[in-house]
Amino acid sequence: MKLWLVRHAQPLIAPGICYGATDVPADATATQQAAQALALALAPGIRVISSPLQRCEQLVQTLRDLRPDLACRADVRLKEMDFGCWEGQRWDDIALHELDQWTVNFGHWRCGGAESVQDLTARVGHLWDETCAAGEDAVWITHAGVIRSAILLSQGVREVTRADQWPSRPIAFGQATALLV
């Protein structure tokens, strides 16, 4: 089975802002380009599951316009990590002692009082299990944190405890990668 992991296009938010679960739109031109590339790469009728956040929904809608044969649905488990009170702040403005605590307790620190990396990995893991059990190729249109969690899950890692476990190279905006599961 092949699982396509697709990151939304560049969001329309200033660089350096923590935006995780904040519902911001993506650049329309970049979304169109990503959808065109994806439309050419995907097999007929493949299942598409997406984050309900608008930057992903934009890509889904643009893809559906190009490929009406695709069955698409949203799933909240594909939302980006919720950074709580850090959302909308510049990363540089978040208290250093909080970022240090996150590094020390990477898997379980509730960033901005909201979600932890382990919370994210657990929720993505539930959808991972369902997707794998279906045994059919699928596409996830989602976010960098979810993609990193999926990469770890593909390696059998379900418990994130240290920052050095977290994949350091994210997929670029509007790009896709495929995992053989």
Side-chain angles (χ1 to χ4, degrees):
M1 175 192 123
K2 184 185 288 188
L3 175 60
W4 291 87
L5 301 171
V6 183
R7 189 173 182 196
H8 58 79
Q10 176 74 47
L12 297 175
I13 193 163
I17 300 292
C18 174
Y19 61 92
T22 302
D23 200 8
V24 297
D27 177 87
T29 301
T31 297
Q32 182 69 37
Q33 291 169 346
Q36 288 171 337
L38 195 55
L40 293 172
L42 298 178
I46 194 169
R47 291 177 308 130
V48 178
I49 308 166
S50 74
S51 162
L53 296 179
Q54 66 179 308
R55 56 193 183 265
C56 292
E57 284 294 315
Q58 282 177 256
L59 182 51
V60 170
Q61 187 56 53
T62 306
L63 179 61
R64 287 174 95 173
D65 291 345
L66 298 168
R67 292 285 306 276
D69 64 299
L70 301 178
C72 304
R73 70 175 176 87
D75 192 306
V76 296
R77 294 173 289 185
L78 291 181
K79 283 178 70 171
E80 182 59 284
M81 188 166 140
D82 185 344
F83 288 95
C85 67
W86 293 359
E87 298 268 341
Q89 291 189 52
R90 291 190 52 74
W91 282 102
D92 294 348
D93 293 340
I94 297 170
L96 187 56
H97 74 275
E98 289 186 47
L99 294 172
D100 288 343
Q101 284 298 316
W102 185 20
T103 301
V104 168
N105 191 12
F106 186 75
H108 298 283
W109 179 257
R110 295 197 177 280
C111 298
E115 256 187 318
S116 70
V117 170
Q118 189 55 46
D119 292 335
L120 171 68
T121 301
R123 89 170 135 81
V124 173
H126 292 298
L127 184 57
W128 174 269
D129 292 343
E130 287 175 22
T131 303
C132 291
E136 299 172 353
D137 290 354
V139 179
W140 287 3
I141 296 178
T142 190
H143 311 273
V146 172
I147 292 170
R148 287 173 167 162
S149 290
I151 290 168
L152 287 177
L153 290 163
S154 76
Q155 298 166 355
V157 177
R158 291 196 172 253
E159 178 74 23
V160 180
T161 56
R162 301 179 328 270
D164 66 349
Q165 288 177 284
W166 199 239
S168 60
R169 206 176 108 221
I171 189 168
F173 291 116
Q175 296 299 303
T177 190
L179 299 176
L180 295 177
V181 182

